[in-house]
Amino acid sequence: MHPLNLCIDLGNTTGKAAFFRQQKMLEYHEQLSEKSILHLVQKEQPHHIIISSVRSNLDGLLDQLKQYSEVMVLDSILPVPMINHYETPHTLGTDRIAGVVGARVLYPQDSCLVIDAGTCITYDFIDQQDNYFGGSISLGLQMRFKALHHYTDRLPLIEASTTRPALVGTNTPKAILSGVINGLVAEIEGVIAGYSENFGNFAPILCGGDAAFFESKIKESIFVASNLILIGLNRILIYNVENKLKS
C-alpha cells in the first residue's frame, strides 16, 4: 500500500488539511486549529506531512508533528516540480506555488491560469513546460467592500449579494454592489482575455474561498477546484519524497 500523506494549508486563524495516497484524496478537513491537526496526526499516523502557512512562527507545531511523522514545510527553498522564474522567490506566497503545481496535476497537457479568489485575488500562469514567471495580485471581494467603507466618511459597509447585481445601481448600496461585484467580474474576465491574447489556449482554474461565488457570474468556461492548494501540496510532497529515494 502506498504511504499516507497529510497536506496542511494554514491560514491566519484556521487551517485546511487532506489525506492522500499517491494522487488520490481520501479525507478532507477544514476549520482546523493546531490542536485538531495534532489530533488528526495522532489518530491517522501519516508517513509524510507537508505544510503551507502564512504564519511566521510554526516552531511549536512543527516540533509536535515531528514526533509522529516526517515533516516538510513549503518555502522558497523546498524543491518544487516547476521552473520558477519569479524575480523574488523569497516573497512568493506558498499558496501561489502550490496552486500552479496543483493546476498542472489536473491539466498535465495544458498551460494553466490559476485564479485564487480569497482575501486577495491572485492570478498565476504556468506553461506546458512548467515555466512559472508570476502573475498579479488584486483586492479580494470583501476587501473591496471594506475599503470603500473604511476610506470614506459616508459609504456604508455592504455585504455581497448572492446574485449578480444590476449594472446601474439606483441607490448607494446597489451602486456599491454593482461597482464591486460587476467590477471584479469584469476584472477576472479581462485578465482571462489578456492571457488568452498573449499565450493562446490555456486552462483557467478558479479556487479560493470566493470561488463558488464567482463561478456562475463569469462568462468564460472555468473549472472550479476548491482543493487546488492541497492537491499541489501533495504533488510537491511526492516530488520531494521521490527525489530523496533517488539520492
Side-chain angles (χ1 to χ4, degrees), residues 167-216:
L167 179 63
V168 179
T170 54
N171 57 42
T172 298
K174 290 180 180 179
I176 292 173
L177 285 171
S178 177
V180 171
I181 296 175
N182 290 326
L184 197 38
V185 169
E187 176 190 304
I188 293 171
E189 292 176 344
V191 170
I192 292 173
Y195 274 89
S196 181
E197 183 177 335
N198 282 275
F199 297 101
N201 294 328
F202 60 86
I205 304 171
L206 186 62
C207 66
D210 288 325
F213 178 86
F214 287 109
E215 180 181 11
S216 62

Side-chain angles (χ1 to χ4, degrees), residues 9-244:
D9 180 19
L10 285 179
N12 287 305
T13 55
T14 63
K16 298 179 290 185
F19 288 98
F20 291 82
R21 289 195 191 276
Q22 288 294 90
Q23 302 291 350
K24 184 178 180 181
M25 183 183 293
L26 305 176
E27 293 180 20
Y28 170 75
H29 302 267
E30 59 185 359
Q31 300 297 319
L32 294 174
S33 64
E34 290 191 5
K35 183 178 180 180
S36 54
I37 289 171
L38 283 170
H39 177 73
L40 279 176
V41 171
Q42 291 166 349
K43 178 183 176 184
E44 301 295 340
Q45 299 285 310
H47 295 83
H48 308 286
I49 298 173
I50 186 169
I51 300 177
S52 169
S53 176
V54 300
R55 303 177 191 179
S56 57
N57 189 353
L58 288 175
D59 292 345
L61 177 61
L62 291 177
D63 288 342
Q64 294 181 77
L65 292 177
K66 287 176 181 177
Q67 297 177 31
Y68 303 96
S69 180
E70 180 181 344
V71 181
M72 61 185 77
V73 178
L74 179 56
D75 55 21
S76 61
I77 300 173
L78 188 72
V80 293
M82 70 178 192
I83 306 165
N84 191 350
H85 300 276
Y86 206 66
E87 293 178 355
T88 55
H90 61 284
T91 69
L92 179 60
T94 55
D95 53 343
R96 296 174 67 189
I97 297 172
V100 292
V101 172
R104 292 285 289 144
V105 172
L106 298 178
Y107 291 91
Q109 305 301 321
D110 299 317
S111 300
C112 300
L113 176 66
V114 175
I115 304 167
D116 191 338
T119 303
C120 295
I121 295 188
T122 57
Y123 303 86
D124 290 284
F125 187 81
I126 186 168
D127 69 15
Q128 291 172 297
Q129 289 74 44
D130 292 319
N131 289 291
Y132 171 77
F133 293 94
S136 55
I137 304 172
S138 181
L139 296 175
L141 180 67
Q142 298 304 324
M143 193 181 291
R144 295 182 189 218
F145 283 118
K146 291 176 181 177
L148 285 172
H149 176 63
H150 180 76
Y151 290 106
T152 64
D153 288 330
R154 301 182 64 182
L155 292 181
L157 180 60
I158 303 297
E159 291 188 5
S161 59
T162 55
T163 57
R164 186 165 179 174
L167 179 63
V168 179
T170 54
N171 57 42
T172 298
K174 290 180 180 179
I176 292 173
L177 285 171
S178 177
V180 171
I181 296 175
N182 290 326
L184 197 38
V185 169
E187 176 190 304
I188 293 171
E189 292 176 344
V191 170
I192 292 173
Y195 274 89
S196 181
E197 183 177 335
N198 282 275
F199 297 101
N201 294 328
F202 60 86
I205 304 171
L206 186 62
C207 66
D210 288 325
F213 178 86
F214 287 109
E215 180 181 11
S216 62
K217 299 175 177 63
I218 298 171
K219 292 179 182 178
E220 283 79 2
S221 176
I222 192 166
F223 179 70
V224 174
S226 57
N227 295 321
L228 186 68
I229 306 302
L230 295 170
I231 292 169
L233 286 173
N234 183 59
R235 175 69 186 97
I236 294 167
L237 187 156
I238 292 172
Y239 178 78
N240 280 273
V241 170
E242 289 177 345
N243 284 347
K244 185 177 180 180

